[in-house]
């Protein structure tokens, strides 16, 4: 079994200005047995995050991290937004 997991993340400041963006596709290949074993497990993908500019803009108010994950095979999509401040 094979699918592509599409990950898209971005950080926006309190004025909705884009400060950081990440997009990558992850190919996932599992046998039927592996799929059955992983069904109740957590799948972790580490996202490299380096913010070397715009740090002062992040300190000015509430910021938002937007995360979207899409299964390209089944077309399922999950979107989450988290607010944070520095």
């Amino acid at each position: 079994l094979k699918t592509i997991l599409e990950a898209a993340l971005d950080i926006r400041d309190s004025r909705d200005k884009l400060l950081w963006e990440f997009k990558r596709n992850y190919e996932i290949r599992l046998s039927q047995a592996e799929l059955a074993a992983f069904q109740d497990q957590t799948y972790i993908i580490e996202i490299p995050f380096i913010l070397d500019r715009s740090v002062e803009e992040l300190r000015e108010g509430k910021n938002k991290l937007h995360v979207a994950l899409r299964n390209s095979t089944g077309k399922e999509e999950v979107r989450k937004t988290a607010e944070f401040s520095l």
Side-chain angles (χ1 to χ4, degrees):
L1 302 171
K2 175 184 138 182
T3 191
I4 304 290
L5 183 63
E6 301 169 4
L9 297 86
D10 69 58
I11 292 178
R12 295 181 179 270
D13 68 10
S14 57
R15 294 179 301 278
D16 205 36
K17 178 181 174 188
L18 180 65
L19 300 178
W20 178 82
E21 186 174 35
F22 176 86
K23 291 182 182 181
R24 184 174 294 167
N25 292 340
Y26 296 91
E27 183 177 85
I28 299 172
R29 289 180 182 264
L30 298 170
S31 67
Q32 285 281 24
E34 290 171 321
L35 179 60
F38 275 112
Q39 254 177 335
D40 294 325
Q41 302 292 321
T42 301
Y43 188 80
I44 297 174
I45 296 174
E46 292 187 17
I47 305 292
F49 175 73
I50 299 172
L51 186 65
D52 56 0
R53 62 187 198 305
S54 307
V55 176
E56 288 306 316
E57 293 173 79
L58 287 172
R59 291 187 175 127
E60 292 176 8
K62 292 198 180 209
N63 309 289
K64 291 184 180 179
L65 168 65
H66 301 273
V67 179
L69 295 173
R70 183 174 174 267
N71 175 354
S72 67
T73 303
K75 304 300 182 199
E76 299 93 357
E77 185 171 0
V78 176
R79 292 180 173 270
K80 299 288 182 180
T81 300
E83 284 191 355
F84 69 96
S85 56
L86 297 180

